[in-house]
Every structure is written in C-alpha cells, then in structure tokens.
Amino acid sequence: MTYSLIQLAPGAYDLLLKGEIVGSVVRSGARRSDTCWTAELIEDLPESKRPAPFAEIEHSFGTLQELCEWLGTTEVKSNFGLSPVARSS
C-alpha cells in the first residue's frame, strides 16, 4: 500500500492511499505531553474491505513517526499556509 500525508494545518493531515483521500490523521493533547496521533478511515468499511494495515476504523500512536512507520510511509507534504492557487499547481 502506498500512503502519503498532506498537512492541512498543524496537527491535521489528509491520509491518501494511491493518491486518493481515504482518511485523516490528527494530533490531540498537549504538544509536549499526552500527545496522541490518530489515523482514521473516512468510511466505516467492514474489516475485510479496510486497506492494510487498518484492522479497526481508527488507530492511535504516541508520535507521528510511529504512525508513519505503521503506515509504511515517510511521505509528508504540506498545504498549510499555501493559497488555493498554489495548492492546485
């Protein structure tokens, strides 16, 4: 599976699978303590139809790096702070 993350704002990402948005990744909690990163699928699919490695609709991690390792990706792009024109190019 080829996942990538597109940053929308600090602590908020679209989760893409092969270029299509399939979910989101968000940070909750304080920035330095009690931080939790959650990956969540958009659709509540039956377990047999969920893309790997999703056994559940959402999974939580202590760091973004742990989440990216679980997804098998290091590709993180940013749209944060770009105008809509810049985002479309």
Side-chain angles (χ1 to χ4, degrees):
M1 298 280 165
T2 304
Y3 287 98
S4 58
L5 298 174
I6 305 293
Q7 186 177 25
L8 305 171
Y13 299 82
D14 276 341
L15 174 61
L16 286 78
L17 176 60
K18 297 179 183 176
E20 293 193 33
I21 297 173
V22 295
S24 63
V25 170
V26 295
R27 180 187 63 217
S28 59
R31 288 181 182 231
R32 295 199 183 0
S33 63
D34 299 328
T35 299
C36 179
W37 288 89
T38 303
E40 181 176 13
L41 294 173
I42 292 173
E43 291 187 60
D44 188 2
L45 299 170
E47 188 173 349
S48 63
K49 296 196 181 223
R50 294 179 195 147
F54 283 89
E56 303 293 330
I57 298 300
E58 76 176 43
H59 293 270
S60 296
F61 301 87
T63 67
L64 181 59
Q65 181 177 346
E66 290 172 4
L67 189 149
C68 287
E69 288 172 3
W70 177 74
L71 289 172
T73 187
T74 56
E75 185 177 1
V76 179
K77 298 179 183 176
S78 179
N79 273 343
F80 182 60
L82 297 178
S83 72
V85 173
R87 288 183 195 144
S88 66
S89 59

